[in-house]
Amino acid sequence: MQITMIGAGYVGLATGTCLANMGHSVRCFDINAARIVRLEHFDIPIYEPGLEEAMRSAVEAGRLSFSTRLRESVAEADAVFIAVGTPSGADGSIDLSHVLAAAKQIGPHLRRGATVVIKSTVVVGTARRVREIIARERGAFDIRVASNPEFLREGSAMKDFMEPDRIVLGADDTRSRNILRAIYRPFERAGVPMVITTTGNAELIKYSANAFLALKIGFINDVADLCEKTGGDIADVTRGIGLDRRIGESFLLPGPGFGGSCFPKDTRAFAATGRQFGAPQKLVETLIARNDQRKLLLARRILKEGRLAPESTVAVLGLAFKANTDDVREAAALSIIPALQEAGLRVVAHDPKAVPNAKEHLQDVAWADCPYAACTDASAVVILTEWDEYRRLNLDRVARALSGDALFDFRNLFDPRSVGQHGLRYFSLGRAATSVRQKGGISPIDRWDRRVAAPGHA
Ligand code: NAD
Ligand code: UGA
């Protein structure tokens, strides 16, 4: 089938590449011409594991191409996917302007009988609006509009797309339903559950799924707080509840508050839709406030428990909103770092991939090339992203590099029982803090001795 992607961002690129590797002929169009030029040279503007290899194989097989020419991109397509951004408006409701502009642009160029498929995350009723816009542009209702929400995650986009739990196909007429089924036939044959429903239900499914996953995270973060106050251990608690199949073990990792380009904006849009239709989503409203507040409360915890002198330096490891992506949109680092700076602290930051994006959002941060360089002479170190590189940190080396002794691990990467042995006070989530004074720990003077004895110490 001939497919065109309107929007070559995370979703457009990943989806287009995977559909091409499934055997379809795919063309990606983006309004950002510079992005298309880069893509033509395999200069991929985002970091997504496996994407480049998959793109190369699709292009080499002649099934994936990129274009800046709208008319040419759209005119022959059987299906045109809209995969443009749907950010938050000022009041938290969805900003559909990119989707509606894309519909207006493609309207005149679509071939008769083509199906437009909305891949972007959009509020209920959008498919109908898009159909009306296209009809207005063409002077005829000859184009069908379907909804096919996407559930991939950044950092595992290729795997998520190719191994879905289910595929949601929203269509209000037989022709577009058949087109969608034909596109996803290999998955249907492989036994992937297909939810074939209306466009409105498909739109509601997408937001309900994201809101529910975000609620799971918000809930476990609150439980982690309770564990800290009561001497509990969040790992045992999550295992104990997650093994109940009705609850499930995934999305129960405590963290510094969810971020990214999806959960924050989608929960806001879901709540705004509830208000608009007189069906308030109170749980989600509370979740949004709690999640924003959590990032600031964690900054406060660093200031309070870090025993930091005024103007001391804090090393922040991890700027991306999660591991395996360079995306910093609504990342915890973007709230926590400015809060620390406001309190008068200096921040040195490291991230394996996200520094260029973070530089667009943060001021007065010193950037380090490696985590140990970030820790050098810092009073405390704070881990905000669960990169494997940080899991493998040599904590002796970290302790020697620091001038202070506090490690705040807001991704629970280490075993609290072992961190004290490295001479660090350890603060993680949902577990008791451990101190250097615990049995097996080394005294501050021992740690100082190790530091001056270390190779390279001036
Ligand atoms: P993105 O910002 O990475 O990419 C959007 C692209 O669309 C940009 O390259 C932009 O230049 C282009 N664009 C904007 N207007 C255009 C127009 N009129 N014509 C052509 N191109 C245009 O966004 P994204 O992360 O890919 O998200 C896209 C949609 O998919 C959003 O609704 C998002 O909520 C949803 N979604 C995202 C993810 C994810 O993991 N990022 C997962 C599932 C769903
Ligand atoms: C999320 C959903 O997981 C995807 O299914 C969905 O397609 C996508 O949003 C979207 O609609 O755009 P994504 O934002 O890429 O995907 O990343 P997630 O892995 O869901 O993580 C989101 C945030 O929650 C991150 O900040 C992450 O660190 C946090 N998180 C996740 C936790 O704190 N704990 C967890 O157990 C899981």
Side-chain angles (χ1 to χ4, degrees), residues 274-295:
R275 291 194 297 273
Q276 185 195 340
F277 285 91
Q281 300 298 308
K282 292 283 185 198
L283 289 177
V284 176
E285 303 265 11
T286 304
L287 170 74
I288 295 165
R290 288 286 298 144
N291 194 60
D292 290 344
Q293 190 189 35
R294 178 170 185 78
K295 297 170 186 175

Side-chain angles (χ1 to χ4, degrees), residues 151-154 206 210 251 253 259 262 321-322 411:
F151 299 97
L152 63 77
R153 286 165 296 177
E154 290 180 23
K206 175 63 193 174
N210 273 8
F251 274 66
L253 291 174
C262 305
F321 78 95
K322 64 174 194 174
R411 293 292 185 168

Side-chain angles (χ1 to χ4, degrees), residues 231-350:
D233 183 335
I234 192 67
D236 285 355
V237 175
T238 48
R239 186 167 149 72
I241 64 174
L243 285 171
D244 182 330
R245 274 172 294 173
R246 293 170 304 172
I247 296 173
E249 288 182 276
S250 62
F251 274 66
L252 287 181
L253 291 174
F258 58 76
S261 67
C262 305
F263 285 171
K265 82 164 171 65
D266 292 347
T267 46
R268 288 193 292 264
F270 190 67
T273 305
R275 291 194 297 273
Q276 185 195 340
F277 285 91
Q281 300 298 308
K282 292 283 185 198
L283 289 177
V284 176
E285 303 265 11
T286 304
L287 170 74
I288 295 165
R290 288 286 298 144
N291 194 60
D292 290 344
Q293 190 189 35
R294 178 170 185 78
K295 297 170 186 175
L296 299 178
L297 287 175
L298 290 180
R300 195 163 180 278
R301 186 173 175 199
I302 297 165
L303 296 169
K304 189 164 168 237
E305 313 214 40
R307 297 187 205 142
L308 304 172
E311 295 178 30
S312 50
T313 299
V314 172
V316 172
L317 305 184
L319 301 163
F321 78 95
K322 64 174 194 174
N324 297 322
T325 178
D326 61 354
D327 198 339
V328 300
R329 289 179 279 183
E330 306 216 26
L334 300 194
S335 301
I336 292 178
I337 290 177
L340 296 178
Q341 290 173 320
E342 260 173 48
L345 300 180
R346 262 189 84 239
V347 173
V348 183
H350 171 268

Side-chain angles (χ1 to χ4, degrees), residues 6-12 29-32 35 83-86 98 101-102 105 119-121 150-154 206 261-262 265-266 329:
I6 303 294
Y10 280 94
V11 168
F29 167 85
D30 200 290
I31 205 168
N32 180 343
R35 175 173 275 248
V84 301
T86 47
H98 301 292
Q105 282 160 20
K119 197 56 155 162
S120 300
T121 300
E150 182 49 56
F151 299 97
L152 63 77
R153 286 165 296 177
E154 290 180 23
K206 175 63 193 174
S261 67
C262 305
K265 82 164 171 65
D266 292 347
R329 289 179 279 183

Side-chain angles (χ1 to χ4, degrees), residues 47-49 155 317-328 350-355 371 383-393 411 413-414:
Y47 172 72
E48 182 61 47
L317 305 184
L319 301 163
F321 78 95
K322 64 174 194 174
N324 297 322
T325 178
D326 61 354
D327 198 339
V328 300
H350 171 268
D351 188 285
K353 297 285 174 196
V355 169
I383 298 176
L384 294 180
T385 312
E386 72 283 22
W387 286 101
D388 279 344
E389 184 177 345
Y390 301 153
R391 278 180 217 283
R392 293 193 298 263
L393 278 176
R411 293 292 185 168
L413 303 187
F414 301 106

